[in-house]
Each structure stands twice: as C-alpha cells, then as structure tokens.
Amino acid sequence: MVAMLEFPKWLSPEIIPGLPFRWYGLMYLIAFSVAWLLFRRESKRLRAPWTEDEAANFFIWSIVGILLGGRLAGTLIYEPSNYYWIKPWFIFWPFDESGAFVGFQGMSYHGGFVGLIVATLIWCKVNRWNWLDWADLIAVSAPLGYTFGRLGNFINGELWGKVSTAPWAMLFPNAERFSAKEPWVQEVARAVGIRLVSMNDMVNLPRHPSQLYEALLEGIVLWLVLWFFVRKRRTYRGKSVAIYAIGYGVARFIVEYFREPDSGLGYILALGDPQAPTARFVSLFNFSMGQILSFLMIVGAVIFMLYARKHFRIAPGEPMFVDAAKRGESGARGTDGIRENSGPRTSKFNAPSARKLRKKIK
C-alpha cells in the first residue's frame, strides 16, 4: 500500500498554457484585494479620519514596498549563485537572458516585511500621519491575504517540505531526487511503499506540503487571532503590529522545521548535526535562514511591544487616532464612514488674499 499523496496533475503554474499569466501572480492580486477589503472595513468600523484616496495611496506605497523589499531580499540573499549581484538589472526584469518570460520567481517574506515598513513610514512622514495607527490596521488585515500567496507557492509546486512518511506527505514532481544507494532513502521508500528497481535509481520521495502548513498557520490561524481577539482590544498603539510580528515569527520558525532550506543555503547555523541532509529533519538545533530571520523578527517585536506598552498607551476616552485629535473635527464623512476629500486637510479659498498675492508676484 502506498502511504502518500500525489501532487494534483491538473494543477499548472500557468492559468492558460502558453500565455504569461500565472496563478502565482493572480494569488498576489487576490491577497492584496483581501487585505484592502478588510482594511477598509476596519477603517469604516473605527470611523477613521483619512479619506478613501489617502487609504488607496497608502496601499499603493505598501504594495510597492512589499514588492521591492521582497524581490531584493529574494534575489540578493536567497540566490546562492550570486547571479543577481553580478547582473542586478535582471532583478526587476521578468525575462531571462534568452528572452523567455519567467516572471518574478523569488520573493522573500522578510524582505517584503522590511520594505513595507520603510515605504509606509516614508508615506506617513510625508503626509503627517501617525504610522502606528495605519500599521495596526494593516496588521489585522494582511494575514488572511497572505494565505493566498502560499497557495500560489503550492500551485507552483515550489518551496516543498522535507522528506516525510506521514500519510499526507506528497510527491512534488519537480522536487530533488535521491540516490537509491542511500540507506535512509531505502528506508523511506519501504515505509511509503515505493518499489526500488535498481540501486542506480534516483528516487522522488514524499515531502511535507509545507506551503499549506504556512497558509494555515501564518495566514488563517494568525488572522483569526488578530481579527477576533486582538482587533477590538487595542489598549496601546502598535499592539496589533507587535502581536502580528511575534505570531508570524513563531509560526514561521516552527514550519521551517518541516520545510526544506533554500537550495544552496542549507542550514545557516548547524548546531545539531552539521552533516545532516537538508531534506530530512534530524535535529532541532539545525537552523535555516528563515528561522534566523524569524527569530530576529520575534526579538525585535518583543522589544517594540514592551516599549509601545509604556509609551503609546491609549487612555480611556482618548481618540483612537492621534491625527484625528490633532486636527480637531474629523470632517464630513461619506456613507462608508471614511472622511470625504472635503475634510479639514483642505483650507478655505480666500479670494481677496489670492488677488493681493498675484499683485505682489507681478
């Protein structure tokens, strides 16, 4: 009896074979759309003082930051051949050297996270908004959208997990094959019912569907915690951001034990068994790049949480948004609870003063 699952043969990275439209890109669009809808709904519930245009502008900056940071880190950190360091013009060029369309295969979550922070900090600074007010809303809205990004990885048949004999382990068609001469390969093959014909065979072994683990833990579970338990209990500014960063870091750190380290990088810190094959779980003390970055993310989030709890507390009766208090009246609001463009950020036109100014200029 074969105790494993086959990767669905009807799944293809391309939406329409032969055309440059891929499920991975579509999943990113769905992810951003879901995050936007949830962000807008929460803004409406809290009667946020920003306009629809301001919210859309903020989201555009967020998306650009995610894509720039994710792509730069994915190519410059996770690419072991240094190809993009030698030819950096290919980082944002969706064609290979032969002219074939390859898209942007290689995005780093941690790079995207940093890019998001930098881009939105700049936007809030320029537009004189309190960054934590916007960031808390993004934190409770984004994880559910992130789920679709990991589903895109699964459809692509990439970022597979380590070899496993679990009944739900799956054969990924593009995964690395292993020599049948290896004793551990023979052991796994017998356990799952794979028949070895020759010791010269290169065997495709079942692996953890780690993309689905990530979609569940880093996406759905984290969103449920933030949306239903954290969202309505905002006692200090930055609370949702801190809990999101800690929750994602913990979930990713755990899942990395089941996910094969990136090709060419292996274990960055092998404190357990330095000789262990990266395709198998051998030691709790062998750490991948994803685990190291997630650990740093957790540490940074804990430090930020302790600081925010002390310095950014929201007192009873205090306005939920810093900027709403500074600007006085929140302005006329549309039917969705978001202030219209005619709010207090636009000053009244003074015709006599304008005529005097024109005379001075002349």
Side-chain angles (χ1 to χ4, degrees):
M1 178 180 178
V2 178
M4 59 185 174
L5 300 175
E6 291 279 351
F7 185 81
K9 295 181 179 179
W10 49 270
L11 279 180
S12 170
E14 298 176 337
I15 299 175
I16 302 175
L19 295 179
F21 302 107
R22 303 173 72 88
W23 286 108
Y24 186 69
L26 178 60
M27 288 299 173
Y28 259 81
L29 291 177
I30 295 175
F32 291 135
S33 299
V34 169
W36 164 254
L37 292 174
L38 291 173
F39 177 89
R40 194 175 183 277
R41 177 177 174 176
E42 185 64 359
S43 297
K44 176 180 177 180
R45 184 184 74 84
L46 296 174
R47 296 184 66 81
W50 43 75
T51 67
E52 189 97 28
D53 287 344
E54 286 171 321
N57 201 314
F58 174 83
F59 248 77
I60 291 173
W61 275 68
S62 301
I63 293 170
V64 171
I66 291 171
L67 296 178
L68 287 177
R71 183 62 177 166
L72 285 171
T75 52
L76 299 180
I77 296 177
Y78 284 95
E79 172 54 52
S81 67
N82 292 327
Y83 175 82
Y84 292 100
W85 286 98
I86 300 171
K87 301 181 178 180
W89 52 89
F90 281 109
I91 293 176
F92 295 106
W93 183 246
F95 301 91
D96 63 16
E97 295 186 67
S98 66
F101 180 83
V102 293
F104 295 116
Q105 301 180 37
M107 299 286 286
S108 162
Y109 166 83
H110 295 95
F113 183 70
V114 173
L116 170 66
I117 292 175
V118 172
T120 54
L121 276 172
I122 294 173
W123 186 89
C124 287
K125 180 69 174 179
V126 170
N127 292 277
R128 293 176 299 156
W129 285 102
N130 182 280
W131 180 76
L132 293 175
D133 288 338
W134 293 81
D136 277 340
L137 263 67
I138 283 289
V140 300
S141 307
L144 188 60
Y146 180 76
T147 303
F148 293 93
R150 287 310 181 194
L151 291 178
N153 293 137
F154 179 77
I155 293 172
N156 270 356
E158 63 186 4
L159 303 184
W160 46 74
K162 295 178 180 178
V163 172
S164 171
T165 57
W168 58 86
M170 185 172 291
L171 283 177
F172 289 92
N174 298 321
E176 177 190 0
R177 268 65 172 172
F178 304 99
S179 172
K181 296 177 182 178
E182 296 286 343
W184 70 268
V185 174
Q186 299 172 22
E187 178 185 343
V188 172
R190 282 195 300 270
V192 299
I194 294 178
R195 182 168 174 267
L196 301 179
V197 178
S198 168
M199 289 297 102
N200 294 321
D201 288 348
M202 297 298 292
V203 188
N204 187 9
L205 296 175
R207 297 167 176 268
H208 287 287
S210 54
Q211 314 96 323
L212 302 183
Y213 299 172
E214 292 192 70
L216 177 63
L217 291 179
E218 301 161 14
I220 296 174
V221 172
L222 184 56
W223 176 76
L224 289 173
V225 171
L226 288 163
W227 192 260
F228 291 102
F229 297 98
V230 177
R231 179 171 58 107
K232 296 183 179 180
R233 298 172 176 83
R234 188 176 182 236
T235 54
Y236 58 90
R237 291 181 171 84
K239 180 177 182 178
S240 298
V241 175
I243 294 177
Y244 166 79
I246 293 171
Y248 178 89
V250 171
R252 176 67 180 269
F253 191 93
I254 294 172
V255 173
E256 284 284 327
Y257 280 121
F258 302 94
R259 171 177 161 177
E260 184 173 1
D262 293 86
S263 176
L265 293 182
Y267 293 117
I268 304 300
L269 196 59
L271 301 179
D273 183 0
Q275 305 302 321
T278 57
R280 298 192 72 193
F281 173 76
V282 176
S283 172
L284 285 170
F285 302 102
N286 284 355
F287 303 109
S288 65
M289 176 66 79
Q291 285 176 308
I292 292 173
L293 294 177
S294 295
F295 176 76
L296 295 175
M297 184 177 182
I298 294 168
V299 172
V302 169
I303 294 173
F304 171 76
M305 172 183 279
L306 296 175
Y307 183 84
R309 287 179 63 182
K310 181 178 180 180
H311 296 277
F312 304 137
R313 294 197 69 83
I314 301 174
E318 182 182 347
M320 186 61 67
F321 298 97
V322 171
D323 303 87
K326 288 181 178 179
R327 292 185 174 98
E329 295 181 2
S330 58
R333 296 178 185 273
T335 56
D336 60 356
I338 301 179
R339 180 172 55 78
E340 301 292 347
N341 291 328
S342 58
R345 302 193 79 189
T346 57
S347 59
K348 186 177 179 180
F349 179 71
N350 190 316
S353 297
R355 284 195 294 270
K356 290 180 181 179
L357 180 61
R358 283 198 297 271
K359 287 180 181 178
K360 290 181 178 180
I361 294 174
K362 288 179 181 179

